């Protein structure tokens, strides 16, 4: 996710804006960006999604999209707040240090990287979390079917319960 944001921001700043960042500024600045951004919001989003999934019981029909929506709704305000603060800091630095072209170009790169990372976190990372939750649902349903078959329930009845568990509303 963050690597895609880096590649998109490099393309945007270098090709579209004609503001290339030097290799030295990337070597020095990218670890700084990684430390600032970190992974706390993405880890928190994944944790909230998985906790919500494990808290729901089997008989409730909660779709994966609802789980992801609630997690993004809960963590999204903090994510947007932090990213807007970082973006405004880099824009302010680019305005303040107009005479230092290397710093200005890096600040523009970092700003676009944060913007793309924010967009990709809401779309691409959410899709990955959705796939993880769908895999968990299939795994849980398979375990239920195997347990029912081991307890002596007829395989056709276990298949009906399995199909009922996995049949949910489409996520798209």
């Amino acid at each position: 996710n963050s690597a895609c944001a880096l590649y998109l921001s490099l393309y945007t700043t270098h090709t579209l804006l004609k503001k290339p960042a030097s290799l030295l500024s990337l070597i020095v600045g990218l670890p700084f960006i990684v430390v600032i951004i970190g992974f706390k919001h993405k880890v928190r989003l994944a944790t909230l999604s998985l906790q919500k999934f494990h808290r729901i019981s089997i008989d409730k029909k909660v779709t994966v999209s609802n789980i992801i929506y609630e997690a993004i709704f809960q963590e999204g305000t903090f994510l947007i707040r932090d990213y807007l603060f970082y973006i405004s800091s880099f824009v302010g630095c680019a305005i303040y240090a107009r005479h230092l072209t290397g710093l200005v170009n890096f600040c523009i790169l970092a700003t676009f990287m944060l913007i793309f990372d924010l967009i990709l976190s809401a779309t691409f990372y959410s899709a990955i979390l959705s796939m993880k939750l769908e895999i968990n649902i299939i795994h849980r349903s398979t375990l239920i079917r195997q347990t029912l078959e081991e307890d002596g329930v007829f395989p056709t009845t276990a298949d009906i319960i399995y199909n009922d568990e996995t049949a949910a509303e489409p996520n798209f």
Side-chain angles (χ1 to χ4, degrees):
N1 190 23
S2 297
C4 290
L6 173 65
Y7 295 138
L8 286 171
S9 62
L10 280 171
Y11 175 77
T12 303
T13 56
H14 185 70
T15 306
L16 301 178
L17 297 177
K18 307 290 188 227
K19 299 272 186 186
S22 67
L23 184 61
L24 180 63
S25 65
L26 289 175
I27 291 171
V28 171
L30 283 180
F32 173 71
I33 299 285
V34 170
V35 168
I36 285 178
I37 296 171
F39 298 102
K40 71 176 182 177
H41 292 295
K42 294 175 181 116
V43 169
R44 179 82 173 131
L45 189 64
T47 304
L48 288 172
S49 299
L50 291 174
Q51 284 175 351
K52 174 75 174 163
F53 173 74
H54 291 299
R55 276 187 298 204
I56 60 172
S57 65
I58 295 171
D59 60 342
K60 293 185 181 175
K61 293 293 181 188
V62 177
T63 61
V64 172
S65 59
N66 289 342
I67 294 172
I68 298 295
Y69 173 77
E70 290 176 12
I72 288 178
F73 187 74
Q74 189 173 356
E75 183 63 24
T77 54
F78 302 115
L79 178 79
I80 291 173
R81 181 199 62 195
D82 290 348
Y83 274 53
L84 286 178
F85 175 73
Y86 300 145
I87 288 169
S88 62
S89 298
F90 281 118
V91 168
C93 181
I95 291 171
Y96 181 72
R98 281 187 292 235
H99 58 284
L100 300 171
T101 57
L103 182 61
V104 169
N105 291 349
F106 180 76
C107 287
I108 292 171
L109 174 77
T111 300
F112 276 105
M113 193 165 97
L114 289 169
I115 290 169
F116 287 133
D117 193 43
L118 182 62
I119 292 169
L120 289 174
S121 292
T123 55
F124 182 68
Y125 189 67
S126 298
I128 292 172
L129 282 177
S130 295
M131 285 179 26
K132 171 67 177 155
L133 291 177
E134 289 288 347
I135 290 170
N136 286 351
I137 288 172
I138 292 169
H139 180 67
R140 181 172 68 180
S141 301
T142 304
L143 286 176
I144 290 171
R145 184 178 67 182
Q146 289 173 351
T147 304
L148 287 172
E149 288 176 357
E150 288 174 2
D151 287 344
V153 176
F154 291 112
T156 55
T157 307
D159 284 337
I160 290 170
I161 294 171
Y162 172 77
N163 291 334
D164 187 47
E165 174 66 25
T166 57
E169 296 176 20
N171 292 332
F172 300 106

